[in-house]
Amino acid sequence: MRAWQVRRPGAMSTSPLTLATVPVPEPGPGELLVAVRACGVCRTDLHVTEGDLPVHRPNVTPGHEVVGEVVGIGDGVTAFAPGERVGVAWLRHTCGSCRFCLRGQENLCPASLYTGWDADGGYAEFTTVPAAFALPLPTGYADEALAPLLCAGIIGYRALLRADLPEKGRLGIYGFGGSAHLTAQVAIAQGAEVHVMTRGRQARELALDLGAASAQGATDMPPVALDAAILFAPVGELVLPALEALDRGGTLSIAGIHLSDIPALNYQRHLFQERQVRSVTSNTRADAHAFLDFASRHRLEVTSPQYPLDRADVALADLSAGRISGAAVLIVQPS
């Protein structure tokens, strides 16, 4: 099968990805073999490829927003059958017995493993997934629309929960890519007033088209004080204007797995009056199921520029350069 591998992590200009021919993987006990139909192109894939994240698996195949068809099952699998459409997301293993797992915080499990970082992912024609971490998918969405929901959607949903937005509150969103454009729709559907701060004109236009109350530059102040904010852009410098935009008691939720350095904070200007900063680490399976249930009941508009599998390197380069509006998707095996 064809599969992209991160041979030498580095800037996209150094060609860190190689398209290789490798054997089709075999599903182990408790695993599914999935024929990949579509795979979202996530900024975390870029962090893995460019070396912002440490190498966990040499020559790893990126991709953790996989929509595919079950074509093989390992011993002991009863929950899925060949022919079913399933999702393969970022989280693929937790121990189930540590204090974090036992209190419902499996996203903090020290033994957690991740698709496209610890194990080969969906920039390939086939991949495997533990059946316990495979996701049933809502109907009514095409493969290319579902793929971004599996990380961009899920992590945005968790970031929104972490932001503690009050009912009908004012939410600021910093950066407006794949995850943000889905999270904005969730917040608006829940009655929030959304204000977007992002650098790209095309992204600002998309935000307004999706129902945002305002859209302005990345460091501009929103027209109203915010009850909560989410930082999606991996830019530490934006923490300061985001905190300044918060009203008293507001919370800033930082959604990324990687963030550049945050400049020094001024306590009075940025934190006093009980403003808070919270990080977001991965997600739980409960988050995934809750978000996908929401998506089944509220039609989300997914802006998904498409690339064939053999242009995955181009897709990541476009993402790195800010040339993608919405959430890009690799079409691997058209349905």
Side-chain angles (χ1 to χ4, degrees):
M1 71 171 187
R2 295 176 300 156
W4 286 93
Q5 297 180 332
V6 182
R7 294 288 177 86
R8 293 185 305 276
M12 291 307 300
S13 60
T14 68
S15 300
L17 285 169
T18 297
L19 184 58
T21 300
V22 299
V24 175
E26 293 285 339
E31 290 188 337
L32 307 175
L33 175 64
V34 177
V36 179
R37 293 182 184 174
C39 183
V41 178
C42 178
R43 187 164 291 277
T44 301
D45 301 333
L46 188 62
H47 293 318
V48 169
T49 301
E50 293 198 314
D52 296 323
L53 298 177
V55 174
H56 280 194
R57 177 183 175 88
N59 299 327
V60 71
T61 295
H64 56 274
E65 297 179 328
V66 180
V67 175
E69 178 183 341
V70 177
V71 294
I73 57 174
D75 291 343
V77 175
T78 59
F80 294 92
E84 288 188 57
R85 185 168 71 160
V86 297
V88 182
W90 178 237
L91 185 67
R92 70 178 290 115
H93 170 80
T94 56
C95 73
S97 59
C98 70
R99 62 195 182 102
F100 300 104
C101 287
L102 293 176
R103 67 190 189 200
Q105 294 177 299
E106 66 177 1
N107 60 308
L108 301 180
C109 175
S112 57
L113 299 174
Y114 301 96
T115 305
W117 192 18
D118 296 291
D120 289 332
Y123 285 24
E125 292 175 312
F126 295 89
T127 192
T128 60
V129 62
F133 288 81
L135 297 173
L137 297 174
T139 59
Y141 288 88
D143 295 339
E144 62 270 18
L146 275 173
L149 303 188
L150 296 174
C151 179
I154 293 169
I155 200 67
Y157 183 80
R158 183 170 182 85
L160 182 58
L161 295 177
R162 294 280 291 163
D164 273 348
L165 180 68
E167 185 176 357
K168 297 184 179 179
R170 297 165 171 172
L171 175 69
I173 290 180
Y174 288 80
F176 205 72
S179 189
H181 95 287
L182 296 171
T183 307
Q185 294 178 67
V186 174
I188 291 168
Q190 293 176 339
E193 178 184 309
V194 172
H195 300 270
V196 171
M197 279 60 69
T198 191
R199 64 182 180 177
R201 177 185 58 80
Q202 191 174 9
R204 292 194 293 271
E205 291 174 354
L206 176 60
L208 294 173
D209 288 344
L210 292 174
S214 74
Q216 41 273 311
T219 59
D220 293 342
M221 289 294 288
V224 294
L226 304 173
D227 297 307
I230 304 173
L231 174 59
F232 287 101
V235 181
E237 289 85 352
L238 293 179
V239 169
L240 275 64
L243 286 171
E244 288 188 46
L246 289 177
D247 207 346
R248 298 175 180 217
T251 297
L252 170 63
S253 172
I254 300 177
I257 192 173
H258 171 78
L259 188 72
S260 62
D261 290 344
I262 301 172
L265 301 178
N266 178 282
Y267 178 71
Q268 294 292 332
R269 185 187 308 164
H270 300 119
L271 294 175
F272 191 54
Q273 303 292 356
E274 299 193 351
R275 296 176 180 89
Q276 300 183 66
V277 181
R278 290 180 171 178
S279 67
V280 179
T281 300
S282 184
N283 62 272
T284 66
R285 281 172 285 180
D287 294 328
H289 291 299
F291 170 71
L292 291 173
D293 177 67
F294 181 94
S296 73
R297 293 180 287 106
H298 299 81
R299 178 71 189 187
L300 300 176
E301 296 298 324
V302 185
T303 301
S304 52
Q306 297 174 25
Y307 297 76
L309 176 62
D310 60 10
R311 289 177 62 81
D313 55 342
V314 176
L316 278 179
D318 286 347
L319 178 62
S320 179
R323 292 189 290 263
I324 291 175
S325 178
V329 175
L330 303 179
I331 303 301
V332 181
Q333 298 179 20
S335 56

